[in-house]
Amino acid sequence: MSVTTTPSARKTYRHGDLRRALLEAGIALAREGGPAAVTLREATRRAGVAPNAAYRHFASQQALLVAVRATALSAVAKSMEDELAAVPPKLSPADRARACVRAVGTGYLRFAKAETGLFRTAFALSHKLIQATPEWPTAGPSGRNPYELLCGAVDQLVQAGVMPAAKRPGAEILAWSAVHGLAMLVVDGPLAAPVGPHFEMFGQRLLDMVEKGL
């Protein structure tokens, strides 16, 4: 009697999908341990291939980190866009502009709290801002990255007559600094214990302050 055997599952990846497998492994590592956890050696181990195989797709650990960082920034943008999508469409222009500023801040803070490792990784490379590379986009589904989403929301304040045009230059930097500062002081700083359990409440109070200050 002949016996038909089922081929065992592949433990390695073909050339065509190894790049994606390595990226997904890098994302998982960032989610678990932040940017310091993103290493080529561990990514290849998780992908089930020899370390040398990774260099066809990522020339260095830094190259993998750049790719993971871009993906994390896209996820931050998606979180901001989700909050923007929930803004009621029938608000007055002034109320909608204020709601959009609050929405981008809320999406940013919620992502920081829910995806701490990816949030830290999104801003890990101090010598770079959040622009995309030709290979790795940093935008959400709308085609805008987190900074562009914030700028668009602040522009709406001017268009709606809520903010004087003279105050517009640099306003997004002030807003971003305040919101990011709270996020990092809770994620990686001394406010983790006192603020962490009440993060959303403090976040909304901060957004009140930002909105009034703008």
Side-chain angles (χ1 to χ4, degrees), residues 14-186:
R14 295 186 302 274
H15 179 79
D17 56 9
L18 176 55
R19 183 183 182 85
R20 170 55 54 181
L22 290 169
L23 177 59
E24 289 176 353
I27 293 167
L29 290 166
R31 180 173 276 122
E32 295 165 12
V38 181
T39 65
L40 267 180
R41 179 170 294 276
E42 179 60 17
T44 55
R45 188 190 71 78
R46 293 193 178 196
V49 295
N52 288 344
Y55 294 110
R56 299 175 184 173
H57 306 284
F58 297 101
S60 64
Q61 177 178 332
Q62 182 80 351
L64 177 61
L65 182 58
V66 166
V68 173
R69 173 181 177 269
T71 304
L73 282 165
S74 294
V76 174
K78 174 66 165 55
S79 180
M80 296 164 76
E81 290 172 357
D82 288 345
E83 295 294 331
L84 283 169
V87 173
K90 295 184 179 180
L91 295 176
S92 69
D95 286 344
R96 179 169 178 79
R98 293 189 184 96
C100 286
V101 169
R102 181 173 293 274
V104 297
T106 297
Y108 193 91
L109 290 171
R110 286 182 175 167
F111 186 87
K113 182 67 172 177
E115 291 282 9
T116 299
L118 287 179
F119 182 79
R120 289 166 58 210
T121 304
F123 303 100
L125 302 178
S126 60
H127 62 288
K128 294 180 180 291
L129 293 176
I130 59 176
Q131 290 84 358
T133 66
E135 193 173 15
W136 301 110
T138 59
S142 72
R144 293 181 292 174
N145 65 37
Y147 179 69
E148 291 166 339
L149 289 166
L150 172 59
C151 287
V154 177
D155 286 342
Q156 288 187 55
L157 293 175
V158 177
Q159 295 161 7
V162 177
M163 174 192 290
K167 291 183 64 178
R168 174 64 187 86
E172 77 282 0
I173 296 174
L174 301 176
W176 190 10
S177 297
V179 175
H180 187 76
L182 175 64
M184 292 307 298
L185 285 168
V186 173

